[in-house]
Amino acid sequence: MSNALKIIEALGRHEDEASIDVLKDVGTNSEKEEIREATAQALIRKNSGKSLRILVADKGKGINDLSTRVALSTVNHLLELEDKATLMEVLGETIESTNCEEEIRNTARSLRALITLSE
Amino acid sequence: MRISSINFNVFKTRSIANVEQQNQNPFAVQNNNTIAGGLKQDVFQNSSIQNAQPNAFAQKTAEIFAGFNEKYNNFKNQSKEFFAPVISFAGKINAGIQKLNSITVEDMVASLKKEMSLLTLDRDVRKYVKMPVSDLREELVKELA
C-alpha cells in the first residue's frame, strides 16, 4: 500500500471534520484510479451528509465522474453501509434539487431504487 | 545543670570540710562556713542564678523558641518545596478521577472499540490517524505530486 493510500485511509478514519475537505480537494482530483477509489471509500466511511453529498451530488467528484469499475465499487460500498439513513436523505435532496444536473439526479434516483430493492 | 546537684556538691565539698576544720557547729546560723552559710556563699552568691538578670530565663526561653521557630519555618518552607510535586501529582490524579467519573460506560466501550479497530490497521495508518489534518493534507499533496 502506497503512502498516499495510507494517508487517505487515515483521513477516512480521522475525527476532524476537516479531513473531508482534504479528501474532496486532493483525493477526488487525482488522475489515478486507485486514489479516486480509496477517496470514495474514505468518504463513505465518514457516512456524514457532507461526505456523502460529495459522492452523490458534486459534479466532477462523485459517482458520475468515476470510471465504471470504480463507480461500481463505490456503489457496492454504499450498499454495504449499515446505517443508510444519511445516505437516503442525501439521495432525496439530490433528486429533488433543481441545482443538480439531470444526469446526477438520475444516478441518485437509480441508486435509491437499488438500495430500496436490496433492503 | 540542675540546682539540686549544685546544692549537693557544695554541701559535701565545701561546707562539711570547713565545719570539720574549724570544729564548729555545722548547723550554726549566719556563719559562712556552716552548711547554710556555705550554701548561701557558694551557691546563691556566686552562682549564675544569683548574677543573672531577672529576665534571663525569659530571654533564654525566647532565644530557644526563636531558634525553634526559625527551624520550624525553614522546615515548613522546605517541606512545601519538597512536597510540591507530590501535591501537584495528587491534584492531577484527582482531576483524572473526576474525569473518569464523568465518563459513561458507553463512552468507554466506544473508545475501546475505536482503539481496537485501530490496532488492526497498518502501523503507518495508525500514525496518520493521530496526525493533524493540516499535516496530512501536506503529506498527501507531496505524495501525489
Side-chain angles (χ1 to χ4, degrees):
Chain A
M1 191 193 265
S2 73
N3 259 350
L5 292 176
K6 288 175 183 175
I7 293 168
I8 289 168
E9 185 170 352
L11 285 166
R13 295 172 184 274
H14 212 286
E15 283 182 344
D16 193 341
E17 277 281 296
S19 56
I20 296 174
D21 297 327
V22 179
L23 290 167
K24 181 183 176 183
D25 298 343
V26 186
T28 58
N29 283 335
S30 175
E31 293 171 355
K32 295 177 185 171
E33 269 204 6
E34 60 173 355
I35 299 294
R36 294 290 296 269
E37 188 175 8
T39 303
Q41 286 175 19
L43 288 168
I44 293 167
R45 182 185 291 279
K46 293 280 185 191
N47 199 12
S48 70
K50 187 178 177 182
S51 67
L52 294 175
R53 235 168 256 125
I54 296 167
L55 277 178
V56 174
D58 266 20
K59 188 175 164 57
K61 296 180 182 293
I63 300 167
N64 277 68
D65 299 286
L66 296 171
S67 70
T68 310
R69 189 188 68 78
V70 177
L72 282 174
S73 160
T74 304
V75 168
N76 272 334
H77 279 101
L78 286 169
L79 290 172
E80 284 169 7
L81 269 177
E82 278 187 28
D83 180 8
K84 296 186 182 70
T86 312
L87 176 61
M88 292 304 275
E89 269 180 41
V90 171
L91 289 171
E93 284 171 16
T94 308
I95 291 164
E96 289 167 18
S97 171
T98 51
N99 296 326
C100 290
E101 288 183 4
E102 188 59 30
E103 192 185 348
I104 290 174
R105 282 193 283 160
N106 282 337
T107 306
R109 206 173 284 120
S110 303
L111 189 54
R112 189 167 70 171
L114 190 61
I115 290 168
T116 309
L117 288 170
S118 63
E119 286 292 294
Chain B
M1 184 185 291
R2 293 183 301 166
I3 292 173
S4 59
S5 67
I6 298 171
N7 288 343
F8 183 70
N9 288 336
V10 170
F11 177 80
K12 276 183 70 176
T13 59
R14 179 71 180 268
S15 301
I16 295 294
N18 289 340
V19 167
E20 285 174 351
Q21 274 179 4
Q22 294 176 25
N23 196 22
Q24 290 177 342
N25 182 356
F27 299 102
V29 182
Q30 297 301 322
N31 188 323
N32 280 346
N33 290 325
T34 61
I35 294 172
L39 284 172
K40 184 182 176 187
Q41 186 176 3
D42 293 333
V43 178
F44 293 104
Q45 286 186 353
N46 298 326
S47 71
S48 60
I49 296 168
Q50 173 69 21
N51 295 328
Q53 296 296 317
N55 59 352
F57 279 118
Q59 282 178 351
K60 190 66 182 169
T61 306
E63 279 173 26
I64 290 167
F65 275 94
F68 172 76
N69 279 337
E70 191 183 342
K71 283 178 184 171
Y72 172 71
N73 285 331
N74 285 342
F75 170 74
K76 202 165 66 175
N77 292 333
Q78 284 169 7
S79 299
K80 272 185 189 170
E81 202 173 311
F82 178 77
F83 286 112
V86 180
I87 291 165
S88 166
F89 182 63
K92 282 179 186 170
I93 288 176
N94 192 36
I97 289 169
Q98 284 182 353
K99 196 177 173 186
L100 276 176
N101 284 338
S102 68
I103 296 172
T104 63
V105 175
E106 287 78 11
D107 290 339
M108 285 176 74
V109 170
S111 176
L112 281 170
K113 271 186 182 173
K114 191 184 153 200
E115 286 297 320
M116 292 299 284
S117 69
L118 287 178
L119 282 175
T120 60
L121 294 175
D122 180 275
R123 199 172 61 178
D124 291 334
V125 176
R126 266 186 283 162
K127 180 185 77 181
Y128 289 134
V129 166
K130 288 173 184 173
M131 278 171 62
V133 170
S134 54
D135 292 352
L136 289 178
R137 180 188 283 268
E138 277 181 30
E139 288 282 328
L140 186 58
V141 169
K142 210 187 299 174
E143 287 290 331
L144 295 177

